[in-house]
Amino acid sequence: MRVSYEQKPYRRHLMESWGAQVVPSPSPETKAGRRVLAAHPDSPGSLGLAISEAAEEAASRADTKYALGSVLNHVLLHQTVIGLESLKQFALAGEGPDVLIACCGGGSNFGGFTFPFVPRKLAGENFRIIAAEPAACPTLTKGAYAYDFGDMAQLSPLLKMYTLGHDFVPPGIHAGGLRYHGDSPLVSQLVREGIVEAVAYLQRPVFAAALTFARTEGILPAPECAHAIKAAVDEALRCKESGQKKVIGFCLSGHGHFDMTAYDRYLSGEIQDLDYSDEEIRRALAQLPRVNV
């Protein structure tokens, strides 16, 4: 995405150091990119559009394969190695969770961490599972539960999921990995049935929680998983106020060493709380495919 290309230059520099050519999306190199640039020359891009461009590029070349890294159910199941390991860690500690939290964009990190615990919850164990997302891209908290495409150019199969509309372009928040219009069908189903809760946060409180964590634990988190940290801090503060003791588990899914420009902007007071546009979401949802079921 162009917004991440500009906000996270060190990731690009690292790839270029290994010989890669990095092209921001939307790009003039694909039909999908050219179509968006013609209508919106300053578009920040979106994960849905980047998927369209990557799939188009792969389909046009015999020497190229494309593997989607989130959203699809089989990807989430592959990621459950995270949660399977967490189950063993809880067992070693002689504890079980009262609350499980992970950030959620397309769902791979969230599903990977929480899915191995879901059978226990379905069997009657009493604990909560919370998905934390950005308020600027509130798929689970404000989206429609409907069939939609997984990408802007409508190249993917239709997925039954919470969605803001396949051509919705979120504001340019620094948690680029969470700027996705939809969510995994499996995660969406769990939210739909009330097994998983969802919360949404503006980015300034998220960065404040990230710095609290960094100054306490010595680990600088990525902006994406800082949403989970914010939710964990809120849960801990509620326990402090009520006097309850709870075991809160959250997934620290990445470090923020390549996100120092974002932290610099936050510390200098330049980061703003970007909210979603009701009008843009209404427009995008109006474009949902009509499906007879």
Side-chain angles (χ1 to χ4, degrees):
M1 300 175 292
R2 179 175 300 279
V3 65
S4 294
Y5 180 92
E6 295 171 350
Q7 289 177 346
K8 306 171 187 287
Y10 303 119
R11 300 179 187 220
R12 168 164 49 92
H13 297 333
L14 185 63
M15 289 185 281
E16 290 170 340
S17 297
W18 285 324
Q21 178 188 2
V22 183
V23 180
S25 173
S27 79
E29 300 191 11
T30 67
K31 292 179 181 178
R34 289 192 293 271
R35 186 163 54 247
V36 170
L37 288 173
H40 306 284
D42 298 325
S43 172
S46 70
L47 283 173
L49 174 57
I51 291 170
S52 293
E53 292 204 84
E56 180 184 329
E57 175 73 8
S60 66
R61 299 175 61 98
D63 62 349
T64 302
K65 306 292 184 184
Y66 174 60
L68 190 62
S70 188
V71 183
L72 299 180
N73 291 334
H74 70 275
V75 178
L76 274 67
L77 294 177
H78 179 268
Q79 297 287 73
T80 54
V81 63
I82 307 169
L84 292 171
E85 181 177 309
S86 299
L87 280 170
K88 292 184 178 295
Q89 290 174 330
F90 274 115
L92 286 172
E95 295 280 7
D98 294 300
V99 187
L100 289 173
I101 304 168
C103 65
C104 195
S108 61
N109 166 72
F110 175 80
F113 178 54
T114 63
F115 278 8
F117 293 86
V118 169
R120 298 187 176 198
K121 184 173 177 66
L122 294 176
E125 288 192 26
N126 184 25
F127 60 91
R128 295 162 59 212
I129 304 175
I130 302 174
E133 64 182 6
C137 192
T139 307
L140 295 173
T141 52
K142 299 291 185 180
Y145 188 61
Y147 281 98
D148 198 8
F149 294 98
D151 70 300
M152 186 178 287
Q154 306 177 27
L155 300 176
S156 77
L158 286 173
L159 306 170
K160 187 69 175 289
M161 61 182 177
Y162 279 101
T163 177
L164 300 171
H166 55 269
D167 59 354
F168 175 69
V169 178
I173 58 172
H174 282 270
L178 304 184
R179 292 179 68 250
Y180 185 63
H181 68 276
D183 221 303
S184 157
L186 282 176
V187 172
S188 296
Q189 181 75 13
L190 292 173
V191 172
R192 181 78 169 177
E193 296 189 4
I195 297 164
V196 166
E197 307 167 34
V199 294
Y201 295 110
L202 295 166
Q203 63 178 348
R204 286 183 58 81
V206 166
F207 273 96
L211 288 183
T212 297
F213 181 80
R215 292 166 182 172
T216 305
E217 300 293 336
I219 301 170
L220 189 74
E224 289 82 1
C225 60
H227 287 71
I229 293 172
K230 168 62 176 167
V233 169
D234 285 356
E235 289 294 323
L237 289 174
R238 280 191 280 271
C239 288
K240 185 177 182 179
E241 292 172 1
S242 66
Q244 292 180 294
K245 291 184 178 181
K246 291 185 178 181
V247 177
I248 302 169
F250 72 92
C251 184
L252 180 66
S253 55
H255 66 70
H257 298 171
F258 293 150
D259 296 284
M260 293 312 301
T261 53
Y263 280 99
D264 178 63
R265 291 195 66 219
Y266 175 75
L267 291 168
S268 62
E270 295 179 19
I271 280 189
Q272 302 299 314
D273 279 333
L274 301 175
D275 209 343
Y276 68 95
S277 164
D278 281 318
E279 181 180 350
E280 282 297 305
I281 291 179
R282 282 194 296 269
R283 181 197 60 77
L285 290 178
Q287 302 303 314
L288 288 177
R290 301 291 185 263
V291 178
N292 295 320
V293 293

